[in-house]
Amino acid sequence: MRMSPPLGLVLVAAVTLLASANANAETRLRIDSDTATSSSTTPTSSLSSSSSSTTTTTSSYRSGTKHDQMIAGMEATLLSLLGFNKRPNPQGQPYVPESLRKLHARQNSLGTADIAKPGIHARSANTVRSFPHIESDLDRKFQSPNRFRLSFDLSRIPNGETLQAAELSLTRVAVPDTEGEYKRGRVLVYDIIRPGVRGRSKPILRLIDSKVIDATKNATVNLDVQPAVVRWMENHQDNHGLLVHVTVALTRTREHVRLRRAADEHKDAWVVSRPMLYTYTDDGRYEMASADQIMDRRARRAALRKNRRKDGRENCRRHPLYVDFADVGWNDWIVAPPGYDAFYCHGDCPFPLADHLNSTNHAIVQTLVYSTKPSMVPKACCVPTALSSISMLYLDEENKVVLKNYQDMAVLGCGCR
C-alpha cells in the first residue's frame, strides 16, 4: 500500500482539527467548571429550576461524550495514516543514539523518503529501528573482554516490512600506548547458526563481516550483519545472537571495543556506549524517489515565488502552516521534530494563466472556458503540485527509538489545476 499525495494533506488537516478540538475541549471544560461553581453558590428556588439544571447537566454530559468520541476517532485516523495500530505509551526517558539524531537531521535537509546514510546501501528503506544488546546470565560465561555474544530481540519488526540493510554499531576506547604493528587488529562478527553444548558439541558459526581497526583510534565501528538478520526474520527461533571477536595483540587483557558493561559502570554511562543493532526496512507505503525528483525538490526550495496582483488579490502560492505535535498531545512519544512546516496552497487562478502558476494544459483550457461561460465549469483551483518528506524520531510500543520517513507531508510548490 502506498500513501498518495492527498493522504499527506489529509494528515495535516486532521492534526490541525485535532489540535483545535482539544483546545475547544479545554475551553468548554473551563466554562462548565465556572457554571458548576455558580450553580453551587445559588440556592434553587423551585423544582422547575432544579429539573432544568439536571437536564442541562445531562445534555452537557452527552455532548462531552460525543466530543470525546470524535477526538478519539480523529486520533485513530491520524495514527493509521502514520502506520500505527495504537498510540505508543512510552515509559520513562529513553536514550536516543547520536547516530539517529544525525541521520534525522540529514534526512530533513534532503526532503526524501529514502534513507540516505553514507557507508550503507539502504535501497528503498524508509524506517530505521534501534535494538540494544539484551543482557542475560549467559554474558557471565564470556570472561575475555575481546570475545562476547550479543543478543537482540527483533520479534516486533512488523511482518509487512522488507529488510533492506542491517548494521552492528560498536563503540571503542582508544589505547594510546599501543605502537607499530601491534596497534593493528580486526573485528570479526559471526552469526551463531547453532549454539554449542558444553562437553558435547562446538557452536556452528558463520563469519558475516570483519573490519580492520587501529587501537589508537576511538571511532565507532559499523559492521554489516544483514545476512544474520534476514535469517532471524524468517524464523525468530533461529536467532541465537552474534559472536564478536576482537584481535589486537596488545589488548588481549584490555578492552578496546566496548562489548560488555563493566561491573562498576553506571547505567547512564553504559547506555551511550553499548552495542546497537540498526535495521533499515521498507514498509511498502512509498515509491523510491528518482534523482530527477530529488533535484526538482531542491530547485523548488531555492526558488519559491510570491505572486501579488495589482488589484490586491494574491495569485496561487504557498502559505505558512506549522503543525505542532504538542497541540495534539503527541510530544511524549515523538522525540523529534517538535513540529514541522506543512504549508498550504491558496490564491487566485486568473485568466490568462501565467507560466509561473505551474498550470497544466487542462487547467488552461478550463480557465479559458470559465472566462467565457462561468456557469459551465468551475474555476481552476490552487493545489499542491510538489510535496516533500519529513523525518520523525519516535518511541514505539516497547520504548525503542525508531526513525521513519513520511512522504508527501510538506508542500513545496503550488499551481493551478
Side-chain angles (χ1 to χ4, degrees), residues 390-401:
I390 67 166
S391 180
M392 280 175 47
L393 274 175
Y394 65 86
L395 306 177
D396 65 8
E397 293 84 351
E398 293 192 335
N399 232 38
K400 290 185 174 65
V401 182

Side-chain angles (χ1 to χ4, degrees), residues 18-334:
L18 183 56
S20 177
N22 285 335
N24 291 338
E26 292 178 0
T27 302
R28 185 166 62 254
L29 182 62
R30 288 194 297 269
I31 294 175
D32 291 343
S33 177
D34 293 342
T35 303
T37 303
S38 176
S39 299
S40 64
T41 57
T42 303
T44 55
S45 58
S46 65
L47 180 63
S48 61
S49 62
S50 175
S51 175
S52 175
S53 176
T54 303
T55 303
T56 302
T57 303
T58 303
S59 176
S60 177
Y61 171 77
R62 290 175 178 174
S63 175
T65 302
K66 290 182 180 180
H67 186 269
D68 292 341
Q69 291 175 347
M70 180 189 70
I71 292 179
M74 292 172 64
E75 185 175 41
T77 301
L78 283 171
L79 292 172
S80 177
L81 289 174
L82 291 174
F84 296 100
N85 294 323
K86 62 180 181 179
R87 184 187 188 281
N89 186 26
Q91 303 295 326
Q93 188 67 28
Y95 169 73
V96 181
E98 186 62 25
S99 60
L100 281 187
R101 290 191 182 275
K102 291 180 179 179
L103 183 58
H104 169 260
R106 177 181 176 83
Q107 290 298 136
N108 279 333
S109 65
L110 292 175
T112 174
D114 311 316
I115 299 296
K117 182 180 179 181
I120 187 169
H121 183 42
R123 302 176 181 85
S124 60
N126 60 1
T127 306
V128 184
R129 286 184 168 83
S130 60
F131 300 91
H133 162 63
I134 301 175
E135 297 179 344
S136 68
D137 294 338
L138 188 61
D139 296 352
R140 301 173 185 174
K141 296 183 178 181
F142 294 87
Q143 300 299 321
S144 171
N146 297 313
R147 185 179 176 87
F148 194 69
R149 186 206 70 131
L150 297 174
S151 178
F152 305 95
D153 181 10
L154 310 183
S155 60
R156 288 305 184 95
I157 296 179
N159 294 329
E161 295 188 5
T162 305
L163 183 72
Q164 301 295 330
E167 67 175 355
L168 175 66
S169 181
L170 303 173
T171 60
R172 295 191 290 163
V173 178
V175 185
D177 56 348
T178 306
E179 298 179 355
E181 62 182 19
Y182 297 105
K183 70 179 183 179
R184 298 290 179 183
R186 185 177 289 272
V187 180
L188 303 99
V189 57
Y190 299 86
D191 178 13
I192 303 176
I193 305 298
R194 190 183 69 187
V197 179
R198 183 182 293 273
R200 295 178 56 185
S201 62
K202 293 183 178 180
I204 298 177
L205 309 175
R206 179 178 62 163
L207 179 65
I208 52 179
D209 198 12
S210 67
K211 289 283 180 68
V212 175
I213 58 173
D214 183 341
T216 62
K217 308 295 183 182
N218 64 352
T220 300
V221 178
N222 295 314
L223 300 120
D224 182 4
V225 294
Q226 182 178 358
V229 176
V230 168
R231 195 174 67 84
W232 300 345
M233 291 181 65
E234 291 176 352
N235 186 352
H236 293 297
Q237 293 182 351
D238 290 337
N239 182 358
H240 304 295
L242 301 170
L243 180 67
V244 180
H245 187 203
V246 182
T247 60
V248 180
L250 292 183
T251 60
R252 292 176 182 174
T253 59
R254 301 173 59 181
E255 187 180 46
H256 171 54
V257 179
R258 295 303 315 274
L259 298 177
R260 62 189 304 164
R261 179 180 174 183
D264 59 346
E265 187 171 11
H266 193 274
K267 181 180 179 181
D268 293 341
W270 172 239
V271 162
V272 179
S273 304
R274 63 185 175 180
M276 294 289 290
L277 177 68
Y278 297 98
T279 60
Y280 300 77
T281 58
D282 181 358
D283 62 8
R285 287 174 173 263
Y286 313 115
E287 295 180 355
M288 190 172 181
S290 65
D292 290 341
Q293 288 174 325
I294 295 174
M295 294 303 294
D296 180 61
R297 289 169 183 167
R298 291 179 181 176
R300 288 180 184 275
R301 283 195 187 92
L304 292 171
R305 298 183 176 90
K306 292 184 178 181
N307 309 295
R308 183 174 293 276
R309 294 164 57 179
K310 293 181 179 179
D311 58 7
R313 288 186 296 171
E314 286 187 327
N315 285 341
C316 176
R317 71 174 184 89
R318 191 178 76 158
H319 296 262
L321 171 62
Y322 183 78
V323 177
D324 192 336
F325 294 125
D327 289 344
V328 293
W330 287 3
N331 54 322
D332 60 335
W333 61 274
I334 294 182

Side-chain angles (χ1 to χ4, degrees), residues 396-409:
D396 65 8
E397 293 84 351
E398 293 192 335
N399 232 38
K400 290 185 174 65
V401 182
V402 179
L403 183 146
K404 196 176 188 70
N405 292 343
Y406 292 96
Q407 196 173 30
D408 300 335
M409 294 288 286

